[in-house]
Amino acid sequence: MGPAREILQTQGIALVAVGSPACVRSLYFVAEELGRTGHFFWKALSARDYSLGRHEKAIRECVQEALARPSVRGVIIYASCLDILACLDLGEILAGILNPREIPVEILYRGPLAKRRELPMEALERVWKRWGVWPKGDLAAKGGRTSGQDTEKNSFQREPPKEPEFEKIIEALEKEDGDILLLTPGGCKSCMTFQKREVFKRVKNTRFSDIGVCSGNVEELVKLVLEAFPLERPLNILGTAVMDAVGFDYEGLCSQLREQGKEAVFLSGGLKK
């Protein structure tokens, strides 16, 4: 969340995020903590939204509202793992958008699927240099960093995005015995770190690069799971939006674990249908 925090703390910069509930919810809590929800423009999408091609339209709408804000002098689209898998095209996003003040708009690719190619903080530094924004230096001339609450309002300044399906199920497991594994490229669990529930501390998660998430190597994952969890304890496995998108074989993983004597059950994927 380092890049998100720096963006939200830089005056005049709007942060746009469209994606799975887990991803957008994590960012909302960061914006809320910093008192910057008025500069965070978001929309959480379902599996049906993605299947119907509503993704780019949702981003375009968020960007358009951000550009209409008088104080905004730059918009950063905080690309999620699903955006990376979809090869988000900035030109298509900006087509048809009204931007009479010619405010710069850029995509920041971040997260576990982007790190192999470029670290997100390094990519953000390049954006600041192109824009002439220096959030870590002498900021008086450029507006600089900010503290305190937003004084402006927008239609996105409302209740947080609803919790993802896997979070609801994990809550329901609070009094159940057994271990919990969240299959994710790495960042999806962060939406639960803001919630003070003991059960969330029991959740372990995977980490995948862009290559690893697309390989679907169930055999290697079986080996890692058996090393990480006691054989005699049951294991509850939950999926996330990215794993759903690449068609990960959840049931195949559970079947291979059971063949090794490990009780494992798949409970839910990452997106509502």
Side-chain angles (χ1 to χ4, degrees):
M1 291 297 169
R5 288 179 179 275
E6 185 161 302
I7 293 165
L8 288 165
Q9 288 180 297
T10 303
Q11 287 185 0
I13 306 301
L15 181 64
V16 166
V18 170
S20 71
C23 183
V24 179
R25 184 172 169 87
S26 299
L27 291 167
Y28 182 92
F29 286 138
V30 171
E32 186 176 53
E33 176 190 323
L34 297 173
R36 301 291 292 169
T37 55
H39 278 71
F40 179 45
F41 300 80
W42 60 270
K43 187 169 184 180
L45 300 181
S46 66
R48 178 174 174 80
D49 290 326
Y50 279 101
S51 66
L52 293 176
R54 295 171 178 167
H55 182 218
E56 290 190 354
K57 180 176 182 291
I59 295 176
R60 192 175 298 112
E61 290 172 351
C62 291
V63 170
Q64 187 68 79
E65 180 159 355
L67 291 173
R69 172 69 58 82
S71 64
V72 167
R73 59 199 177 98
V75 178
I76 294 180
I77 301 169
Y78 210 63
S80 69
C81 293
L82 290 172
D83 296 326
I84 294 171
L85 291 175
C87 300
L88 195 65
D89 187 294
L90 181 61
E92 291 185 11
I93 294 297
L94 298 182
I97 281 183
L98 299 177
N99 189 7
R101 292 187 291 150
E102 299 184 349
I103 294 170
V105 180
E106 294 211 28
I107 297 175
L108 179 68
Y109 290 102
R110 48 87 199 182
L113 301 192
K115 288 181 179 179
R116 185 179 62 85
R117 289 169 286 184
E118 182 176 32
L119 294 175
M121 286 301 294
E122 293 178 358
L124 181 58
E125 287 298 322
R126 291 195 296 104
V127 172
W128 293 148
K129 288 179 181 179
R130 284 195 295 273
W131 289 4
V133 174
W134 303 99
K136 293 182 179 178
D138 180 4
L139 309 176
K142 296 292 184 180
R145 307 201 78 172
T146 185
S147 60
Q149 299 291 320
D150 279 332
T151 57
E152 297 171 292
K153 305 289 184 180
N154 62 45
S155 64
F156 298 88
Q157 202 165 18
R158 51 183 186 250
E159 294 297 315
K162 292 182 179 180
E163 65 270 26
E165 287 298 296
F166 66 76
E167 184 175 336
K168 295 178 185 177
I169 293 173
I170 291 170
E171 288 178 352
L173 293 172
E174 190 157 24
K175 296 182 180 180
E176 299 291 330
D177 189 27
D179 297 313
I180 305 170
L181 175 62
L182 184 66
L183 297 179
T184 165
C188 300
K189 183 182 173 182
S190 61
C191 69
M192 297 184 290
T193 61
F194 295 87
Q195 311 302 307
K196 308 302 181 183
R197 297 289 293 269
E198 286 297 316
V199 67
F200 295 149
K201 298 177 183 179
R202 291 165 46 197
V203 180
K204 292 186 178 181
N205 65 276
T206 54
R207 287 189 176 276
F208 297 106
S209 69
D210 54 331
I211 294 175
V213 78
C214 294
S215 71
N217 192 334
V218 174
E219 290 76 13
E220 179 65 21
L221 189 53
V222 167
K223 178 182 176 182
L224 294 173
V225 169
L226 292 174
E227 291 174 353
F229 295 96
L231 188 65
E232 66 276 7
R233 286 177 57 81
L235 179 64
N236 299 293
I237 296 176
L238 297 105
T240 52
V242 173
M243 307 307 288
D244 291 357
V246 299
F248 183 80
D249 187 4
Y250 299 112
E251 295 296 349
L253 172 62
C254 291
S255 177
Q256 291 195 35
L257 286 170
R258 288 192 289 266
E259 289 176 5
Q260 298 293 324
K262 175 68 175 174
E263 182 183 343
V265 59
F266 170 62
L267 297 179
S268 175
L271 282 176
K272 285 185 177 180
K273 300 300 181 183

